[in-house]
Amino acid sequence: MAKKRRPTMKDVAAHAGVSLSTVSYVVNDSGPVASDRRSRVLDAIRILNYTPNESARSLKRRSASTIGLILPELANQYFALVAEGIERAASDADVLVVLCVPQATGKSDDFYAQLLRSQRLDGVVYLSATGTLPSLILELSRSGAVVLVDEQMPGFELPAVVSDNRRGAREIAQHVIEAGHRQIALIGGPAPLWSADQRLAGYREALAAAGQDPDEVPFFGGDYRQRAGYEQAAKALEVAPADRPTALICANDLMAFGALEYCRASGIAVPSELSIVGFDDIPTASLVTPRLTTVRQPAHDLGFAAARLLFSLIDDEGEATPPMPFPTALMVRDSVAPPR
Amino acid sequence: MAKKRRPTMKDVAAHAGVSLSTVSYVVNDSGPVASDRRSRVLDAIRILNYTPNESARSLKRRSASTIGLILPELANQYFALVAEGIERAASDADVLVVLCVPQATGKSDDFYAQLLRSQRLDGVVYLSATGTLPSLILELSRSGAVVLVDEQMPGFELPAVVSDNRRGAREIAQHVIEAGHRQIALIGGPAPLWSADQRLAGYREALAAAGQDPDEVPFFGGDYRQRAGYEQAAKALEVAPADRPTALICANDLMAFGALEYCRASGIAVPSELSIVGFDDIPTASLVTPRLTTVRQPAHDLGFAAARLLFSLIDDEGEATPPMPFPTALMVRDSVAPPR
DNA sequence: TTGTAAGCGTTATCAT
DNA sequence: ATGATAACGCTTACAA
């Protein structure tokens, strides 16, 4: 039985009785071709069920029409949502998205730079949850187009798409303060991360505006993961009753969930005994009990915009201007009550 | 300023003073080469910072070292977890994973077949949440290697990795029955889907074993999405008090969440007034209140195994045997109580 | 308007 | 052990 080879342009050309270039012209609409010959070619394509070999195209065009998406984990819905936004923008542009989850795969940092340099990827959208060493990102941005999402490398001005973390943080802290809380504790994100830094700054602004000394309010460092929320909540709450905070401001929803979990485990009623707020407004936030008061980030839009920015970077090759920070929105739900 | 071209093998060869083929030999370890020349080449590679052009390789090798992952949505953590498992297997094999989310991108069905045929993808892992028309899958499996996850096309025996849905369903239904429930309602998954069918079969087995006529128990069709859970729960519960079920068996966690949401909205206490169970055990399941009793599916392992199966399909080209169904595990938590 | 031919960067066959 | 050289399937000047 004959090995069934996929048809190539040559086959199409032969079948249609035209030259190779004519076929190419009709496939790419890149040259003039008489309408009768065009339809002959189109027919041949249909009959042979021809599909261009993209490897050959990439080789010739020096571009893979593929981008990479590097993110810490998929299980965090915030990332999943950003990914969906990117997917949409990419598919609009007929670009493929390669998923890279360093944590799950244990790939070394420069593996991703290799990927970019090997021209399998035209660019990369990078999300960090750990404030990754600039070394990777730097090497990446040296090798090709990179855009960051909700992240920024202080020294080097890399293209990024961000939302207004500072303002969102300020507003939710204000909300907590307006509910009457004076004993507030903060559970922050990973120190080196820009978003963590911005959120913290926002909280402090609100605190200061309300006449509290931000340096006096207890701060606990987390890493955006649920476990950290649990552990830091424990630290924050296992203190003399008089010092015990009446409200816990968590730098993201996942950590707020962890705090909630701790409270459930140790019989602390939320929000009557303790108010808790988060950040991100992932879908689960309105599903937990009590429904979590948080700050909505337009995850989907961030992803979409990041991909667009990356594309313009890739083909304009010139600097494209990042969009303005995306607005955030305070989502008032049930996890905040006046202190008693 | 000179356009900075990436170094090619030719450059490396020139720099090392050897021939093209020698460089290829050392890069791929595919031919004999004297150790002194080998190190000269290696040095040149380092100095020039050379990385093979993967497009050229794919063209020559007729394989892209890339697979596609088609799934309905990322926001459902079950899919996200499966994706992580696939990622891991792929990265072990130095294979890239292209993310395809038809729903988010509005791509036509045969777009994916094109992708496979265009040789950008060597194979595809396919997850369905809607029991998609076989037409796509058929076309896909005609164009190349495809493996299904937790799905099976009745007529055609396609390679698949599944978990023991039927047994898991039977066990959780038993659990509900053993808690004393006699008035049970079922909220099922999308009818054409194999997993939905299996789960339903499992429920019915347990019901029958307990002496109930499965055809008598109220059944409501859902689509595995949260909204459907809400709506079908509404239908199931808005009946004469005497007919009202005391337990709701949902075919997945997301729909159970929807049911929970409905109960909260209409003041029905769970589990004291109504018991609810799900299926999948996504991370959120233990986070909601009450913590959801459900059936754990080894999502990560399913993904991993699916990718492995796909790889063996791709390079053995011969039929590889799918693994046995993966075991499920009943997760007893707080959402089931005796009827009152 | 159409066809010829020269690459794109690799790999692999075949002499040497 | 090493090096020419011919593909791989496509795009694109350049010629006709």
Side-chain angles (χ1 to χ4, degrees):
Chain A
M1 163 179 150
K3 199 64 154 297
K4 194 168 55 197
R5 219 176 27 78
R6 288 197 190 300
T8 73
M9 265 192 166
K10 207 154 105 182
D11 302 321
V12 175
H15 189 103
V18 302
S19 82
L20 256 181
S21 27
T22 303
V23 178
S24 177
Y25 291 154
V26 355
V27 168
N28 301 302
D29 210 23
S30 57
V33 33
S35 62
D36 53 325
R37 313 192 114 231
R38 148 168 278 113
S39 50
R40 287 234 305 287
V41 171
L42 256 15
D43 284 348
I45 288 180
R46 186 154 323 114
I47 292 170
L48 300 180
N49 197 5
Y50 165 79
T51 312
N53 179 322
E54 292 294 336
S55 303
R57 284 186 152 181
S58 308
L59 175 57
K60 192 69 208 185
R61 305 220 255 244
R62 295 147 169 295
S63 109
S65 294
T66 306
I67 62 172
L69 167 56
I70 304 186
L71 31 73
E73 51 172 346
L74 240 22
N76 183 330
Q77 293 177 311
Y78 170 69
F79 298 125
L81 257 20
V82 173
E84 285 196 2
I86 292 174
E87 254 296 292
R88 196 156 64 73
S91 101
D92 287 354
D94 267 306
V95 162
L96 260 30
V97 177
V98 168
L99 193 59
C100 308
V101 189
Q103 295 228 342
T105 61
K107 281 299 183 187
S108 83
D109 265 14
D110 61 36
F111 170 78
Y112 297 103
Q114 295 284 41
L115 226 50
L116 205 48
R117 216 163 338 89
S118 69
Q119 331 210 354
R120 290 173 87 166
L121 265 35
D122 299 328
V124 162
V125 174
Y126 185 89
L127 301 235
S128 167
T130 59
T132 310
L133 332 318
S135 72
L136 166 59
I137 316 203
L138 248 35
E139 169 59 26
L140 277 179
S141 67
R142 208 184 307 289
S143 309
V146 176
V147 358
L148 272 27
V149 175
D150 228 349
E151 173 61 300
Q152 227 146 224
M153 282 300 153
F156 340 81
E157 286 318 319
L158 297 180
V161 168
V162 302
S163 68
D164 200 341
N165 285 269
R166 174 105 148 261
R167 179 187 229 270
R170 194 191 325 121
E171 288 177 356
I172 200 168
Q174 255 162 25
H175 173 73
V176 170
I177 293 166
E178 278 163 12
H181 294 276
R182 291 299 171 268
Q183 309 250 62
I184 296 176
L186 262 23
I187 298 187
L193 241 165
W194 178 85
S195 65
D197 185 60
Q198 291 292 300
R199 292 175 195 182
L200 182 54
Y203 299 145
R204 295 174 62 105
E205 273 176 38
L207 255 7
Q212 294 199 35
D213 179 354
D215 291 326
E216 302 278 282
V217 343
F219 175 86
F220 301 86
D223 65 358
Y224 278 165
R225 315 196 62 157
Q226 188 166 332
R227 164 178 294 274
Y230 188 99
E231 289 165 355
Q232 302 306 314
K235 273 198 212 151
L237 297 170
E238 284 164 2
V239 294
D243 298 338
R244 202 205 244 184
T246 60
L248 220 47
I249 297 184
C250 304
N252 79 342
D253 288 350
L254 238 36
M255 292 197 300
F257 292 164
L260 237 26
E261 205 186 344
Y262 173 80
C263 291
R264 170 148 46 201
S266 40
I268 298 173
V270 179
S272 59
E273 288 182 76
L274 177 74
S275 292
I276 295 182
V277 301
F279 203 112
D280 281 349
D281 191 29
I282 60 181
T284 308
S286 52
L287 223 62
V288 294
T289 309
R291 290 159 56 237
L292 189 68
T293 289
T294 185
V295 175
R296 168 165 301 174
Q297 289 217 81
H300 199 275
D301 296 342
L302 281 171
F304 190 83
R308 306 292 312 209
L309 178 57
L310 182 58
F311 297 152
S312 68
L313 234 47
I314 289 171
D315 39 48
D316 296 343
E317 192 60 78
E319 303 308 301
T321 38
M324 297 293 298
F326 280 60
T328 55
L330 179 61
M331 307 301 290
V332 175
R333 293 203 269 250
D334 313 329
S335 65
V336 173
R340 53 172 186 188
Chain B
M1 161 182 155
K3 198 63 154 298
K4 195 165 55 196
R5 217 176 29 80
R6 290 196 189 302
T8 73
M9 266 193 168
K10 206 154 108 182
D11 301 321
V12 175
H15 189 102
V18 302
S19 82
L20 252 183
S21 13
T22 303
V23 177
S24 177
Y25 291 154
V26 355
V27 168
N28 301 302
D29 210 23
S30 57
V33 34
S35 63
D36 53 325
R37 315 193 111 228
R38 149 168 275 113
S39 51
R40 288 232 307 287
V41 171
L42 256 15
D43 284 348
I45 288 179
R46 186 154 323 114
I47 293 170
L48 299 181
N49 197 5
Y50 164 79
T51 311
N53 179 322
E54 292 293 337
S55 302
R57 285 186 151 181
S58 307
L59 175 56
K60 193 67 206 180
R61 306 220 254 244
R62 295 146 170 295
S63 110
S65 294
T66 306
I67 61 172
L69 167 57
I70 304 187
L71 32 72
E73 53 172 342
L74 241 21
N76 183 332
Q77 292 177 312
Y78 170 69
F79 297 125
L81 257 22
V82 173
E84 284 196 2
I86 291 173
E87 255 295 291
R88 195 154 66 70
S91 102
D92 286 354
D94 268 304
V95 162
L96 261 31
V97 177
V98 169
L99 193 59
C100 308
V101 189
Q103 295 229 340
T105 61
K107 281 299 184 188
S108 82
D109 266 14
D110 62 37
F111 170 79
Y112 298 102
Q114 295 284 41
L115 228 49
L116 206 49
R117 217 164 335 91
S118 69
Q119 328 208 359
R120 291 173 86 166
L121 264 36
D122 299 329
V124 163
V125 174
Y126 185 89
L127 301 235
S128 168
T130 58
T132 310
L133 333 318
S135 74
L136 166 59
I137 317 204
L138 249 34
E139 170 57 25
L140 277 179
S141 67
R142 209 183 307 287
S143 308
V146 176
V147 357
L148 271 27
V149 175
D150 228 348
E151 174 61 299
Q152 228 146 223
M153 281 302 153
F156 339 82
E157 285 318 318
L158 297 180
V161 168
V162 302
S163 67
D164 200 341
N165 285 269
R166 174 107 146 258
R167 179 188 230 271
R170 195 190 325 120
E171 288 177 355
I172 200 168
Q174 254 162 25
H175 173 74
V176 170
I177 293 168
E178 278 163 12
H181 293 277
R182 292 297 171 269
Q183 309 251 62
I184 298 176
L186 264 22
I187 298 187
L193 241 163
W194 178 84
S195 65
D197 185 60
Q198 292 292 301
R199 291 176 196 181
L200 182 54
Y203 299 144
R204 295 173 62 105
E205 272 175 39
L207 255 7
Q212 295 200 34
D213 179 354
D215 291 327
E216 301 280 281
V217 343
F219 174 85
F220 301 86
D223 65 358
Y224 279 166
R225 316 197 60 157
Q226 188 164 334
R227 164 177 295 273
Y230 188 100
E231 289 166 355
Q232 301 307 314
K235 272 197 213 153
L237 297 170
E238 284 165 1
V239 294
D243 299 336
R244 203 204 245 184
T246 60
L248 221 47
I249 297 185
C250 304
N252 79 342
D253 288 351
L254 238 36
M255 291 197 300
F257 292 164
L260 238 25
E261 204 186 345
Y262 173 79
C263 291
R264 169 148 47 203
S266 39
I268 299 173
V270 179
S272 59
E273 288 182 77
L274 177 73
S275 292
I276 294 182
V277 301
F279 203 112
D280 283 348
D281 191 29
I282 60 180
T284 308
S286 52
L287 222 63
V288 294
T289 308
R291 291 161 53 239
L292 188 69
T293 289
T294 185
V295 175
R296 170 166 298 174
Q297 288 217 81
H300 199 276
D301 297 343
L302 281 171
F304 191 84
R308 306 292 312 209
L309 178 58
L310 182 58
F311 297 153
S312 68
L313 233 48
I314 290 171
D315 37 51
D316 296 343
E317 192 59 77
E319 304 308 301
T321 39
M324 296 293 298
F326 280 61
T328 56
L330 180 61
M331 307 301 291
V332 174
R333 293 202 271 250
D334 313 329
S335 65
V336 173
R340 55 172 185 185

